[in-house]
Amino acid sequence: MGLAGFAASLTIFCLGLQLYHYVLYPLILGLLARVMGRRKPSAASIRAPRTTMIICAHNEAGVIAEKIANSLSLDPAPDEIIVVNDGSTDDTLTIARRAASAAAHVQVLDKPERGGKSAAMNYGAAAATGEVLVFSDASEMYERQALMHLLAEFADPTVGAVSGSHRVRPPKTERDLVGKSEGLYWRYEDFIRRSESAIGATVASVGSMLAIRAQDWRPLPPGTINDDAWITMSTLARGRNVRFAPSAVSWEEASESSAEEQTRRRRITAGRILLLGRPEIWPVRRPAVLAAFLSHKVLRIALPFLMIGGTVANIIVVWLAPGWWVFALTLVLQLIGFGLAAAGYLADRTGRRWRLAHLFYHITRSNLSILLAVRDIAVGRSFLKWDKPSR
């Protein structure tokens, strides 16, 4: 095989894996879910277990009172609400105590030294008395019956953890389209998680609404960045199932800028990469779950390298074998994609509305975040403690 042949094989390999991740895997899941989909439990007919909601807060003075009020208004409301103040330097602790004073089942725990979200989760879980622990971000507002739909999944005794549907409120101004891209991303993720869950178990959860049986809870190891991924995968590796409850909906304000959203994704990606080195999260005894994990999560980390490798290899093929018209076509399609990403970047900078271009920009930016996360790990940067994007 000459250089042109090798480059052609590499092009097919790289483009094929990208196509599989973005298109074929979701389609396969959707078809399997239609054929093998399990019957959903009826939320209204299930006894709700005693529930403890744990809200970890660092410098959330702007939303903590609203979050406590939102939690108290749920139907059913949590039997116990624990707010963990993780070393806040603003008025989070004072405001939380004031908001909690009217409800006897709300307690505010002050953790003076900041340890990061994982440490705060461990701190709150140690004080919880519920049969089910529901971990929530302070900035995440739940719809009224979100908890009912979340808890309904626990009617299946094989289920150890359940997460809900994270949604992003539209941007407050027409200038910024970040929220629209975030919303599209989460709808895409919801489809995959719903399909995975329908045929057994999902390998993805969101930490803003993640419930776990107290008996299945294991304290998060020190240094854990992606708490939701660790809980999900370690639960699956122990033989328990993780489900997605699409009707359990929570809302969060969109990031104010692309830079803030990229920082968030960069941190999440770095945590996901580091998590792969923990043997306790690999479901090696569950082939179907392992295949989903490789397809949904592991392959995503390889995407920017596949994108770069596929483009370079494609250029080499066209250069050495101009008569291979199929590869000329794939190169043109790739260049169009990069052109749309560039147009999306300009649209984002100028406030123009062009959804297709912004979608390609969002995909490219996400892959760039992976490369930056790899660099961060290489230089030893820590994302354990971080400042959330302003909302």
Side-chain angles (χ1 to χ4, degrees), residues 4 6-19 302-319 326-335 338:
F6 174 77
S9 298
L10 183 59
T11 301
I12 294 171
F13 175 77
C14 292
L15 296 185
L17 284 180
Q18 292 178 69
L19 179 66
L303 288 175
F305 305 99
L306 294 171
M307 183 180 293
I308 295 170
T311 303
V312 173
N314 206 162
I315 292 172
I316 293 173
V317 175
V318 172
W319 180 268
V326 173
F327 292 93
L329 177 61
T330 57
L331 181 58
V332 168
L333 292 175
Q334 289 187 82
L335 294 177
F338 292 136

Side-chain angles (χ1 to χ4, degrees), residues 133-160:
L133 312 181
V134 180
F135 294 98
S136 175
D137 289 351
S139 58
E140 202 84 6
M141 303 302 159
Y142 290 10
E143 292 191 352
R144 183 172 175 80
Q145 293 188 319
L147 205 59
M148 179 182 71
H149 295 293
L150 198 71
L151 297 176
E153 296 291 339
F154 288 107
D156 183 342
T158 71
V159 173

Side-chain angles (χ1 to χ4, degrees), residues 34-333:
R34 281 181 173 272
V35 175
M36 303 169 54
R38 61 186 176 84
R39 180 175 297 179
K40 295 181 181 179
S42 172
S45 64
I46 295 172
R47 181 193 72 84
R50 177 174 171 77
T51 307
T52 298
M53 177 176 286
I54 300 171
I55 304 167
C56 302
H58 171 75
N59 288 352
E60 299 282 8
V63 297
I64 193 62
E66 181 185 2
K67 176 60 181 177
I68 293 174
N70 172 259
S71 302
L72 291 170
S73 69
L74 298 178
D75 178 24
D79 298 281
E80 178 182 51
I81 299 173
I82 297 175
V83 179
V84 180
N85 177 55
D86 184 35
S88 297
T89 56
D90 62 1
D91 293 329
T92 297
L93 180 61
T94 301
I95 296 173
R97 283 175 170 168
R98 185 186 307 132
S101 61
H105 62 293
V106 181
Q107 58 176 313
V108 179
L109 305 180
D110 183 24
K111 187 172 170 292
E113 184 177 349
R114 186 184 181 191
K117 184 182 177 183
S118 296
M121 290 171 67
N122 289 340
Y123 198 81
T129 62
E131 298 171 71
V132 171
L133 312 181
V134 180
F135 294 98
S136 175
D137 289 351
S139 58
E140 202 84 6
M141 303 302 159
Y142 290 10
E143 292 191 352
R144 183 172 175 80
Q145 293 188 319
L147 205 59
M148 179 182 71
H149 295 293
L150 198 71
L151 297 176
E153 296 291 339
F154 288 107
D156 183 342
T158 71
V159 173
V162 183
S163 74
S165 178
H166 170 88
R167 297 184 185 175
V168 180
R169 295 191 187 281
K172 295 179 180 178
T173 67
E174 294 298 322
R175 177 187 59 79
D176 192 1
L177 298 179
V178 174
K180 292 183 181 296
S181 290
E182 285 190 69
L184 183 60
Y185 166 80
W186 284 112
R187 287 197 296 273
Y188 174 78
E189 274 293 301
D190 279 4
F191 172 79
I192 295 175
R193 294 166 61 209
R194 183 168 59 249
S195 300
E196 288 176 340
S197 189
I199 60 178
T202 182
V203 297
S205 299
V206 291
S208 54
M209 186 193 284
L210 179 55
I212 184 169
R213 292 185 197 269
Q215 68 188 47
D216 288 303
W217 164 255
R218 303 291 185 276
L220 294 156
T224 301
I225 299 172
N226 287 26
D227 50 271
D228 49 358
W230 187 88
I231 290 173
T232 299
M233 295 312 304
S234 62
T235 300
L236 289 169
R238 292 195 303 270
R240 304 287 282 160
N241 285 326
V242 177
R243 294 279 167 76
F244 168 54
S247 298
V249 177
S250 64
W251 292 88
E252 188 174 28
E253 298 292 339
S255 301
E256 292 187 351
S257 70
S258 296
E260 286 185 344
E261 174 61 11
Q262 182 167 307
T263 298
R264 185 182 73 85
R265 290 199 175 280
R266 191 167 161 180
R267 173 185 179 271
I268 291 172
T269 302
R272 186 183 304 141
I273 295 171
L274 292 172
L275 198 64
L276 297 181
R278 293 184 179 273
E280 68 268 28
I281 65 99
W282 284 86
V284 292
R285 297 182 180 179
R286 306 182 68 179
V289 176
L290 180 61
F293 182 51
L294 293 172
S295 300
H296 189 172
K297 291 300 182 180
V298 178
L299 184 54
R300 182 166 296 176
I301 296 170
L303 288 175
F305 305 99
L306 294 171
M307 183 180 293
I308 295 170
T311 303
V312 173
N314 206 162
I315 292 172
I316 293 173
V317 175
V318 172
W319 180 268
L320 296 178
W324 295 0
W325 64 269
V326 173
F327 292 93
L329 177 61
T330 57
L331 181 58
V332 168
L333 292 175

